[in-house]
Amino acid sequence: MGDPKQSTTVARARAGLDTCFPDGNRVSIGAKIAWVAVVVCLGGGIGAGPASASLSSEHPGTGGADVEAPMVPADAPVAPGSGAPASRAHPNPVEEFARGLGIPVATLTAIVGSIRTGDTAMDGGMDGLALIPFLKRKAEEYLDLKARLSSAQGKDPKVARMRRDALAALDAGQLDKAQWLLCEAAVHVSDARDAKKKAGQSSDLIRWDTLQMALLLSEAADSYRLQSGREAYRAAIGLYDYAAELLAPIDDGISRGYRFQQVRVLEDLGNEFGERRALEGAATLLRTILSQLDRALAPEDWVRAQNTLGAVLLELGGQGGRTKHLEEAVAAFRAALEGTPRGRPLAWAGTQASLGDALVALGNRERGTRHLNEAVAAFRAALEEKTRDRDPAEWARMQASLGGALAALGNRESGTEHLEEAVVAFRAALEEIHRDRPMAWIKTQVNLGYALEDLATRESGPERLKEAVAAFRAALEEIRRDSSPGEWATIQTNLGVALVTLSKRESSAEPMKEAVAAFRAALDAKPRDRDPVEWALAHYNLAGTLLQLGAQTRDPEPVREALGSLAAAYQVLAASHPPHRVAPACHERIDTARRVLEALE
């Protein structure tokens, strides 16, 4: 193929990948990106090293070997550390976590390093609660790629050596080296294929080389997916696309499989980085797949495309999209159900649950209850097949989803029946959602707390409020401020609100004092320089509770503190452009606090 001229090809690759996400009308991704994958291969991969490096038998540098040790959330089995050898009495937590995932420590370090450096999904690193499932997913992707690289593929000794070396590089945490090797192997096979074409050799041999080249391109794409970065994901998208284009005339089934992988990375790009254009591209690609697919000849792929399209549209609708996206998601899941017989109970139940999720999202956009009632019916249908004995984890997830739908329904009704059913569902879910799944545990406890608070507003006693307080505190036991400050502050605020109501209902100052502590904790996690308005609102909440505590205990000191918090809050809220809607109420509360203080003094 000649000298690739790295600096030119890598620049062209980057520019070409940007055309996948043009402003204005969406266009076919396949037509825009196929050539880009070629120059990515020739250029050694986006971000693979200096543009002047050449494609030769000498490999590039170690790359990921110098990545810092992973910063792992405190609520995970891993704690921050350097990865140094541990004593027998104190096993290295990084090694323990890597062993639990089934991947080498160096690979885990490199994956986490891709989150912490460069183009990351979140400023300052990924949120602690999100990190654990992210790493589990990456571990599954690594293990799948390792199994493919370990299998015997083809008779070319050079390709076999490159694939072995790529696997060794992955195990050493040298992701860029693995990417480079697999791309170079694809170029080598492409050269061999071109030579056979010129020599007029058998079409079967050429076909085999094409299959081998597509396989190597997909493996290179898999290695890029192990990282978390826009450029890495876009490189993977391009490589999958090129593999699909190569095989379209030869084997449309395998080609379609690569298209589905392309969609998955577009989803990752959209979900992790909030890139709506990536999700729109995924939806466009899935619609193209469906338009070219004969449902009678490939029913499973048709159902898969409908389910995936529903999930993408649901995500689009959830990212501030139009209600139309949610309506289309519901339609896609219902279409998938048409092709999924109940004789395949687990698949049928999974689609019913996805339909329920879409109906809840749609119902939350509307005033009526029709879609929420349909969501409840969908989750209950799913639970008929996805029983606790069959799959405890999925059963629990569906119980939690059912609880959410029932709680949303109960909020729109004057009675308590649906809210009581929501509480039952959340508590059932918690029987199988344990603390070793912190995200699910925390979310379910918080939702249980919300439902109990809502029930409490329709009852006169304090019991539901006490149960809500217990649920919020249980959630706080599994979340750390340093790893998830935003979520931690939100739960502290929820706890404070429940305690204020409990204090009033019991005519007791003790819950009010605990509420003050909760609001102070929430305020501490919201520094002014990060978000001045959120900081001001936290002061406003704290001041309101302090004011009530001072009036309740006839103590002027909390009222003086409330005045200070209100003055700080008002300064920020009134200075916003335009002034924040809470600014007038804050000013009125300052006047009230002054009158209360005068009366107490």
Side-chain angles (χ1 to χ4, degrees), residues 11-209:
R12 287 176 60 205
R14 285 179 171 145
L17 284 165
D18 288 340
T19 67
C20 296
F21 310 97
D23 294 329
N25 294 331
R26 292 294 307 162
V27 296
S28 169
I29 286 181
K32 290 286 186 180
I33 200 170
W35 67 271
V36 180
V38 181
V39 296
V40 168
C41 288
L42 289 175
I46 293 179
S52 60
S54 63
L55 281 174
S56 68
S57 59
E58 297 296 321
H59 301 316
T62 58
D66 294 329
V67 175
E68 296 179 67
M71 179 175 64
V72 186
D75 53 4
V78 187
S82 63
S87 67
R88 291 183 181 179
H90 302 284
N92 187 317
V94 177
E95 292 181 0
E96 292 291 321
F97 190 48
R99 188 178 298 113
L101 293 174
I103 66 176
V105 174
T107 308
L108 174 65
T109 299
I111 292 171
V112 177
S114 74
I115 303 169
R116 296 184 63 194
T117 60
D119 187 15
T120 57
M122 298 184 186
D123 292 336
M126 184 172 287
D127 177 85
L129 285 177
L131 182 56
I132 296 173
F134 172 85
L135 290 178
K136 287 181 178 179
R137 193 185 85 221
K138 292 298 179 183
E140 291 171 359
E141 291 171 1
Y142 159 80
L143 292 171
D144 180 65
L145 177 56
K146 179 178 180 178
R148 294 171 65 190
L149 291 173
S150 300
S151 63
Q153 292 287 345
K155 300 178 181 179
D156 189 319
K158 183 174 182 180
V159 170
R161 175 178 60 80
M162 287 179 172
R163 295 175 84 243
R164 287 195 302 271
D165 289 348
L167 178 55
L170 288 175
D171 287 346
Q174 299 167 4
L175 302 184
D176 60 345
K177 182 176 178 180
Q179 294 156 4
W180 185 89
L181 283 163
L182 292 167
C183 285
E184 187 180 66
V187 172
H188 170 75
V189 173
S190 180
D191 285 342
R193 187 184 66 155
D194 290 346
K196 289 172 185 175
K197 285 181 179 179
K198 290 179 181 178
Q201 292 191 23
S202 164
S203 60
D204 287 342
L205 292 175
I206 295 170
R207 182 179 185 276
W208 173 255
D209 280 349

Side-chain angles (χ1 to χ4, degrees), residues 74-76 129 435-436 438-439 441-442 445-446 469-481 483 487-488 491-492 495:
D75 53 4
L129 285 177
R435 292 173 186 255
D436 59 352
M439 281 190 74
W441 167 270
I442 293 164
Q445 288 284 6
V446 169
V469 166
F472 291 134
R473 284 182 169 149
L476 285 167
E477 290 173 5
E478 295 301 323
I479 189 170
R480 285 276 297 273
R481 172 184 164 180
S483 63
E487 288 81 357
W488 186 85
I491 299 172
Q492 288 283 4
L495 173 62

Side-chain angles (χ1 to χ4, degrees), residues 222-295:
D222 291 344
S223 66
Y224 274 106
R225 282 177 65 184
L226 291 176
Q227 294 177 290
S228 177
R230 287 181 174 89
E231 288 198 357
Y233 282 172
R234 288 178 178 178
I237 291 164
L239 292 165
Y240 283 132
D241 184 88
Y242 187 32
E245 290 288 338
L246 281 173
L247 293 190
I250 297 174
D251 191 317
D252 62 344
I254 300 177
S255 173
R256 193 160 51 246
Y258 291 142
R259 291 290 183 210
F260 280 123
Q261 293 303 315
Q262 187 181 355
V263 166
R264 283 190 63 185
V265 186
L266 283 164
E267 285 186 89
D268 291 342
L269 184 59
N271 293 334
E272 290 179 29
F273 295 92
E275 288 202 13
R276 288 184 56 80
R277 291 178 297 175
L279 293 172
E280 289 164 357
T284 298
L285 187 51
L286 286 163
R287 289 187 174 112
T288 300
I289 291 171
L290 285 165
S291 70
Q292 298 171 349
L293 198 58
D294 187 328
R295 177 179 174 180

